[in-house]
Amino acid sequence: MKTQYWLTFLIGLLLFLYFIPRPIMYSDFKIVGWCIYGLIFGLLPYLVYKTIDSFNKTTPWRVGFAALSVLIVGPTFGLFHGHKETEELKHKGVWTKAIVIDEKYINRKSHHGWVIQCSFLANGENYQTTYKNDDENKYAIGDTLDLIYSKDFPKIYEIGYQWTEK
């Protein structure tokens, strides 16, 4: 394939990842999240490798650059979207009360401790949070706590005790 095609695909993927549409980024289906993960850890290094290969087949560091692309794009993807969420909550955030609807103890290598899931009302609809850390086991089912959400897109939220204006 021609060099400009590989480069176009690579630039297109990067633009898609950093400016991913909200319905995709905040989908209710876990498979969508796994697809984004696959794009970053599968398609991205492949496109970097093929783009470098199309420019110069004798470059010995193609595999290294492909692996390095994941180490650069993966964390910056998370930081960029985290910053966008924080800014959205600063400018369009609305405080409300959330009710704890579930709690459980998680014992994994990545996290040990209690987590809670909450329900809140926004724009006349009921939303549920993902499980959030409650390491001190302060909250029980039925407790209320503060939550900030985006008035334009309620799937962007943060539980009050985890929210700090940055």
Side-chain angles (χ1 to χ4, degrees), residues 94-98 120-122 145-149:
V94 175
W95 286 93
T96 190
K97 294 290 183 187
F120 66 98
L121 191 64
L145 47 99
D146 292 326
L147 179 136
I148 186 171
Y149 69 91

Side-chain angles (χ1 to χ4, degrees), residues 72-142:
I72 293 170
V73 173
T76 59
F77 171 82
L79 290 171
F80 180 72
H81 284 286
H83 175 73
K84 281 176 53 175
E85 287 178 6
T86 301
E87 288 301 309
E88 173 121 5
L89 291 175
K90 279 183 187 178
H91 294 80
K92 298 178 182 178
V94 175
W95 286 93
T96 190
K97 294 290 183 187
I99 300 171
V100 177
I101 58 172
D102 193 20
E103 67 174 339
K104 60 185 173 181
Y105 186 81
I106 294 183
N107 190 9
R108 295 186 185 141
K109 287 182 182 178
S110 61
H111 180 264
H112 300 282
W114 289 94
V115 291
I116 58 171
Q117 183 180 30
C118 300
S119 175
F120 66 98
L121 191 64
N123 303 332
E125 290 186 47
N126 198 22
Y127 291 90
Q128 290 183 355
T129 66
T130 57
Y131 283 92
K132 299 290 186 174
N133 293 346
D134 180 23
D135 293 328
E136 299 172 8
N137 196 19
K138 244 165 79 169
Y139 300 101
I141 295 175

